[in-house]
Amino acid sequence: MATPSRALLLLLLPLLAVAASHPSHEFCAAGGGDSGGGCGGGGDGARILIKGGTVVNAHRAEEADVYIEDGVVVAVRPNIPVGDDNVRVIDATGKYVMPGGIDPHTHLAMEFMGTVTIDDFFSGHAAALAGGTTMHIDFVIPVNGNLTAGLESYKQKAANAAMDYGFHMAITKWNDEVAREMEVMVKEHGINSFKFFMAYKGSLMVTDDLLLQGLQKCKSLGALAMVHAENGDAVAEGQQRMIDLGITGPEGHALSRPPILEGEATARAIRLAKFINTPLYVVHVMSIDAMEEIAKAKREGQRVIGEPVVSGLVLDDSWLLDPDFTIASKYVMSPPIREVGHGKALQAALSSGILQLVGTDHCTFNSTQKVFGSDDFRKIPNGVNGLEERMHIIWDSMVESGKISITDYVRVTSTECAKIFNIYPRKGAILEGSDADIIILNPERSFVMGAHAHHSRSNTNVYEGRKGKGMVEVTISRGRVVWEDGILNIAPGSGRYVRMQPFGYVFDGIEKSDAAYRASLRAPVQRGKAVA
Ligand code: URP
Ligand code: ZN
Ligand code: ZN
């Protein structure tokens, strides 16, 4: 499978020059708003009829055909007649026809820990499409705290994009200018979420004071606040403790930042969001400790969204003990992959709705980059792969095993993300008028994962040798068949930026609970003037 697709990628490299002249940023409003200038169309006028499959949306599965024209789903119903030679017919008998995956959490071409992630927007998109993911949301990192400069830099990074993508924006410092820029990002650039890192002391970490200001600003803009929840001060202490104990290898990474520090920061962020009364999204929930804080808040009616990532769901920390540094270091990410038991608990939380959608935190560094930390785990670039593997691993580990239904599979891998970030039903569904981002999955075929077969530029894979059932045989991106029979057919520069509008469903009714809070205050109390 790997050889032909790699060869094709090489053939495509000369197209980069062409791509440079391509409009890399079509700013298209999700949900049909200001979608002039060709937005919503596939561009190549392809007409496709997917026949005989089971169409799975988050709300139901049905036997139906899907007719696509110009990058958009035109009809979903049984027995659509073929009737035209110019329509490509794809037989999906015995297979599932589902919305392409949407990964809410990636880091492509990210400058981090003294290096840059090895997957850029082209290789990352190649990996994603080969794995059945047709859209992702990446994190823009400001340049010296400046959001505009950060966005400009990410626009350039995304010039070679080969599929649809959106942006979250990290907030790394606070002043009036940042607050103003947040408004510009939301109102002019289609960014409706901001991430606050409570860890990475000395680089990305924010204080509670900043987090509070940020939560308040997010609320006023209708933007979703996201947190990387670990206590960065305590992590720094934990790291020094390990170094003092002579523990300098990759195992020191997990030992220095135990689940209690993730639980503490998750609880703190949840309480601050409750104080401000704004929705909160906790990225990469890796531990039972953090998950239980989310469960408790949800039980109390708070709007908290928990995102587990594939690595946290199916891997465990025993890999960090491997005597081979290349193997152990590839599992270094933050928060760390936890000991056996956490993954299963996170899976159960995903099945029961405590956690809502699955990301990857795809943040790849090859073995040469990981060597930066060979004498000191604090210098190992943090991050693992997953963009290509997510759809297959979740199908195999959760649907094949009967933990979730096929409709819930679509919900946690695609629809929930589209709803939370306010791009549903254009994305995350196979409905009339939705973008034709579709996968065809054969439940009878098996896969074996590994660096030999993947499309990431990394020479390692944390899922090396993993076997399972369920194979994405076809990926359709905005009406173009981009992955079929193990061959990728993608063009750098063809990817499109997807704008996301503020005030998504998670904000519905917040003003009413604000009013109820004000009404409950029984203050100010009217008093006569106090006399001394
Ligand atoms: O290890 C990780 N997670 N790397 C990416 C940056 C982040 O914290 O999301
Ligand atoms: Zn993070
Ligand atoms: Zn991340």
Side-chain angles (χ1 to χ4, degrees), residues 105 107 112 195 197 200 228 284 333-334 361 363 382-383:
H105 187 157
H107 302 280
F112 189 46
K195 177 174 177 183
F197 289 91
Y200 304 124
H228 171 134
H284 46 44
M333 67 167 289
S334 296
D361 199 4
C363 183
N382 287 196

Side-chain angles (χ1 to χ4, degrees), residues 291 294-295 298-299 302 304-308 345-357 398 403-404 408 411-412 416 420 505:
M291 181 269 286
I294 292 168
K298 281 191 162 205
R299 268 199 309 276
Q302 196 177 336
V304 181
I305 296 156
E307 169 212 82
L346 296 177
Q347 288 188 18
L350 184 63
S351 315
S352 61
I354 292 168
L355 301 176
Q356 269 167 262
L357 72 168
M398 301 216 53
K403 290 188 178 127
I404 59 172
D408 273 351
R411 181 175 59 77
V412 301
E416 196 69 51
I420 290 167
Y505 88 88

Side-chain angles (χ1 to χ4, degrees), residues 3 15 21 74 95 176 195 246 326 362 478:
T3 320
L15 288 176
S21 62
V74 173
K95 300 173 190 173
D176 290 348
K195 177 174 177 183
T326 303
H362 186 87
R478 277 190 298 121

